[in-house]
C-alpha cells in the first residue's frame, strides 16, 4: 500500500480507532452483565470489521460497519459527529443531514456538541444547495456561539453568492469584531454593490444620496476602489459637475495607477464637459509616463496620440514602455502594428523579436507531469513531489 493511501484514509482510520477505544473503555468500566458484554463485543466486532474494510479499500462497507457500531452504542456522540462529517466528505449528503438532525434531537447535549452539530448541519445544507436552510442552521449556530468564525464566514459567502450585499456586509463587520482584522477591499466592494442596487430604476425609486454615501464610504475604507470612483464620477458628470468627476478620477494616479486605463473614457468625457483639452492631455501624459503605468494605459494613450498625428511621441512612449517591460505582449503587439501602418515593418520585426526573447526568457522549460512543478532547468528528481524522471520539456 502506498503512503498516499494511508493519507487519504487517515480520517476513517482515526474514527475506527476512536470507536475501538470507546468499546474498549466500555468493556473496562461497565459491569460484566451478559447484555452489556454482548453489546461491547458487537461494538468491537463492527469496529474491527470497519477497519478491515478501510484497509481493503472498501469505503462503502466501512461506513456501514461503523454505522452499525453507532447503532449498537447510541450514546457515542463523538462518533455521530465523525460519521456525519465522513458522509459529507463522501458526498452522501442525505445521510449526513439525518445524522446531524438525529443528534440534535437528543436531550442534554453539551454546548460544544450542539455547536458542532448545528454548524455541520449548515454545511450539509449548503453543499446540498438548500441555501435558506443552511442560512438558518448557521444562524442557530451563532445563537449558541456568536463568535463562531466558520459560521460567520459561511454566511458571508452565501449572502455574497445570493447578492444579499447588506447582509454580507453585516457578517463582515461581525467577523471584524471577533478577529480584529480589517478587510477593506471586501468592505469597499460590498458598499459599491449596495450603492449600485440603490441606483437601479427597476427595483425601487433610485436613491442617489444613499448610494453616494455608500460610494464615499467605500473610498474612505479603500481609497483605491476603482469601481466606487468610476460610478461616482458618472453620477457627478450626469449631475452637471464634471470638475468633481475629474478630481475623483485623477486621484487614482496615486492610489491605483495600474488600473487608470479603465477610466480613460469617462476621464475624457469629463474634461470635454469642462472644455479642457489641455487638462486631459496633461493628465494622460503624466499617467502614461509614470513608473507604475500599465501597458494598457500606454497603448490607449498611444492610440490617441496616433489619431492626432503625433507619431514621434507614440514611438518614444512605446519604446520607453518596452524598456521597462520587455516581455509585454500588449505593448509589443500594438507597437508592431503601429510600425507596420507607417511603413516601418523592419523595425516592427526587431520589436517583435525582442519581445519574444523576453517572453521566452521568462517561461519555464520543463514541467513535472506528476505535480505540475515548473522550472528552467531539468531535475531528474522533482524538488516538489520528489518523483523520479517526471520532468518533461515544454
Amino acid at each position: 500500500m502506498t503512503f498516499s493511501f494511508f493519507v487519504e484514509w487517515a480520517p476513517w482510520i482515526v474514527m475506527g480507532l476512536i470507536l475501538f477505544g470507546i468499546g474498549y473503555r466500555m468493556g473496562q468500566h461497565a459491569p460484566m452483565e451478559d447484555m452489556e458484554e454482548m453489546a461491547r463485543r458487537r461494538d468491537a466486532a463492527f469496529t474491527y470489521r470497519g477497519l478491515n474494510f478501510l484497509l481493503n479499500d472498501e469505503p462503502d462497507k466501512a461506513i456501514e460497519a461503523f454505522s452499525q457500531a453507532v447503532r449498537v452504542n447510541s450514546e457515542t456522540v463523538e462518533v455521530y459527529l465523525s460519521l456525519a462529517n465522513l458522509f459529507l466528505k463522501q458526498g452522501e449528503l442525505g445521510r449526513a443531514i439525518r445524522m446531524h438532525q438525529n443528534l440534535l434531537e437528543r436531550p442534554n447535549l453539551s454546548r460544544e456538541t450542539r455547536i458542532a452539530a448545528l454548524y455541520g448541519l449548515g454545511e450539509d445544507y449548503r453543499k446540498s444547495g438548500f441555501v435558506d436552510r443552511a442560512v438558518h442552521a448557521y444562524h442557530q449556530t451563532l445563537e449558541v456561539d456568536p463568535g463562531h468564525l466558520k459560521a460567520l464566514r459561511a454566511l458571508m459567502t452565501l449572502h455574497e453568492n445570493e447578492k444579499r450585499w447588506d447582509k454580507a456586509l453585516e457578517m463582515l463587520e461581525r467577523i471584524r469584531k471577533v478577529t480584529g482584522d480589517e478587510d477593506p477591499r471586501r468592505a469597499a466592494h460590498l458598499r459599491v454593490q449596495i450603492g449600485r442596487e440603490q441606483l437601479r430604476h427597476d427595483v425601487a425609486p433610485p436613491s442617489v444620496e444613499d448610494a453616494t454615501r455608500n460610494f464615499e464610504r467605500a473610498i474612505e475604507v479603500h481609497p483605491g476602489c476603482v469601481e466606487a470612483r468610476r460610478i461616482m464620477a458618472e453620477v457627478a458628470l450626469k449631475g452637471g459637475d464634471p470638475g468633481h468627476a475629474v478630481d475623483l478620477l485623477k486621484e487614482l494616479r496615486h492610489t491605483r495607477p495600474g488600473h487608470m486605463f479603465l477610466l480613460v473614457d469617462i476621464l475624457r468625457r469629463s474634461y470635454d464637459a469642462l472644455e479642457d483639452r489641455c487638462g486631459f492631455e496633461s493628465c494622460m501624459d503624466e499617467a502614461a509616463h509614470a513608473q507604475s503605468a500599465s501597458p494598457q494605459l500606454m497603448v490607449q494613450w498611444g492610440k490617441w496620440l496616433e489619431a492626432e498625428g503625433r507619431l514621434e511621441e507614440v514611438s518614444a512612449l512605446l519604446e520607453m514602455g518596452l524598456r521597462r517591460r520587455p516581455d509585454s505582449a500588449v505593448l509589443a503587439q500594438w507597437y508592431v502594428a503601429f510600425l507596420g501602418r507607417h511603413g516601418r515593418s523592419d523595425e516592427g520585426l526587431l520589436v517583435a523579436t525582442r519581445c519574444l526573447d523576453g517572453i521566452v526568457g521568462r517561461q519555464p522549460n520543463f514541467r513535472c507531469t506528476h505535480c505540475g512543478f515548473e522550472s528552467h532547468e531539468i531535475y531528474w528528481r522533482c524538488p516538489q513531489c520528489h518523483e523520479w524522471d517526471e520532468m518533461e520539456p515544454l
Side-chain angles (χ1 to χ4, degrees), residues 130-283:
F130 301 123
V131 175
D132 290 339
R133 293 183 185 182
V135 168
H136 180 65
Y138 290 137
H139 276 295
Q140 286 184 306
T141 306
L142 294 173
E143 287 175 8
V144 184
D145 179 10
H148 196 289
L149 279 174
K150 288 184 177 180
L152 288 168
R153 288 181 174 131
L155 275 170
M156 179 176 67
T157 300
L158 280 177
H159 288 317
E160 287 181 347
N161 293 342
E162 295 296 308
K163 299 183 179 180
R164 301 169 181 167
W165 311 116
D166 54 340
K167 293 185 180 296
L169 185 61
E170 178 187 340
M171 291 302 112
L172 179 62
E173 179 60 21
R174 290 181 66 172
I175 291 170
R176 184 193 66 78
K177 289 179 179 178
V178 172
T179 64
D181 296 331
E182 302 282 352
D183 191 350
R185 292 172 185 256
R186 183 182 238 116
H189 281 282
L190 289 175
R191 292 275 183 187
V192 169
Q193 295 301 330
I194 293 171
R196 288 170 67 96
E197 291 291 322
Q198 291 167 334
L199 288 177
R200 288 176 59 183
H201 291 75
D202 58 330
V203 177
S207 176
V208 176
E209 291 184 3
D210 290 341
T212 299
R213 278 194 291 270
N214 274 301
F215 298 141
E216 289 174 345
R217 179 62 178 148
I219 293 172
E220 182 181 339
V221 298
H222 176 36
C225 187
V226 176
E227 187 66 355
R229 290 182 180 276
R230 185 192 68 78
I231 298 174
M232 281 191 70
E234 289 281 8
V235 171
L237 188 57
K238 289 179 181 178
D241 191 359
H244 183 49
V246 166
D247 291 339
L248 284 164
L249 300 171
K250 285 175 64 176
E251 289 180 22
L252 284 170
R253 290 179 301 175
H254 309 292
T255 58
R256 209 71 183 277
H259 290 67
M260 188 74 182
F261 74 97
L262 296 170
L263 306 170
V264 172
D265 177 65
I266 185 173
L267 186 67
R268 178 189 55 76
R269 287 188 283 118
S270 298
Y271 272 111
D272 284 348
L274 291 170
E275 298 182 352
D276 186 6
R277 179 188 175 91
C278 291
F280 173 69
E281 290 187 21
S282 175
C283 179

